Amino acid sequence: YVRKNNALNNIIEDVIYSATDCAGINTLGGGIDNIIGYNTIRRTGRSGITPREMANADATKLVARIHHNHISEFMLQDWDGGAIYTATQDAKFVRVDHNIIHDAEGHSVSGIYPDFSKNWIIDHNLIWNVDWAIHLEGAHESGVINAIVYN
């Protein structure tokens, strides 16, 4: 696993036009205790951030976080995804907070979408002009989402 990497204060635009399951920022291959914050991501063929396998190394020490990102004009080439999208994982309480998400393209598009995933903290996000602001789907194996969602 990739450990304790940060993606901070970047401008990422006009990417992922092949509509592959990637994003402006992607933790494919693992993202233990990573922090993704203060990024501007716009005009993406699919998601803005794909935190694949992103998790806290220790669920009692909440280090991993996706915060204060501004994501707009996403999902230009695909559907059934989101600005922040991942699938089938145990995040061990990654916190997704204070993000600004707006102006999705297409249909069946969400702002924050932990698809068949569990153990997330989602709070204080501002989301508009999408089909679903926050889309919670049952966890892959157990069906239990175990997400804390509040504003």
Side-chain angles (χ1 to χ4, degrees):
Y1 285 103
V2 178
R3 295 180 151 277
K4 298 183 181 176
N5 289 305
N6 299 331
L8 302 171
N9 201 28
N10 297 286
I11 296 174
I12 301 167
E13 52 190 20
D14 301 310
V15 295
I16 315 302
Y17 278 93
S18 62
T20 58
D21 192 21
C22 292
I25 298 174
N26 191 335
T27 62
L28 185 61
I32 304 301
D33 292 344
N34 290 349
I35 299 171
I36 300 171
Y38 302 103
N39 300 289
T40 298
I41 305 168
R42 60 181 161 244
R43 295 186 305 274
T44 64
R46 186 143 169 89
S47 300
I49 299 172
T50 301
R52 289 277 194 234
E53 299 177 28
M54 187 170 171
N56 284 295
D58 182 343
T60 65
K61 297 176 183 171
L62 305 180
V63 176
R65 189 173 172 203
I66 301 169
H67 67 96
H68 293 94
N69 298 287
H70 185 171
I71 305 170
S72 65
E73 302 167 88
F74 53 96
M75 299 297 293
L76 297 172
Q77 300 288 329
D78 210 352
W79 62 281
D80 191 26
I84 300 172
Y85 174 84
T86 191
T88 64
Q89 76 182 58
D90 180 353
K92 296 181 183 164
F93 299 103
V94 167
R95 185 176 178 201
V96 180
D97 66 288
H98 294 91
N99 297 287
I100 298 171
I101 298 169
H102 60 94
D103 296 320
E105 297 294 326
H107 61 88
S108 298
V109 175
S110 305
I112 301 170
Y113 188 3
D115 191 6
F116 290 101
S117 297
K118 63 182 178 179
N119 299 326
W120 291 88
I121 300 171
I122 302 169
D123 67 282
H124 295 90
N125 296 283
L126 179 59
I127 305 168
W128 73 90
N129 200 21
V130 299
D131 290 334
W132 297 290
I134 299 170
H135 184 162
L136 301 175
E137 195 74 44
H140 184 61
E141 294 174 6
S142 65
V144 176
I145 299 167
N146 201 31
I148 300 167
V149 181
Y150 64 96
N151 187 12

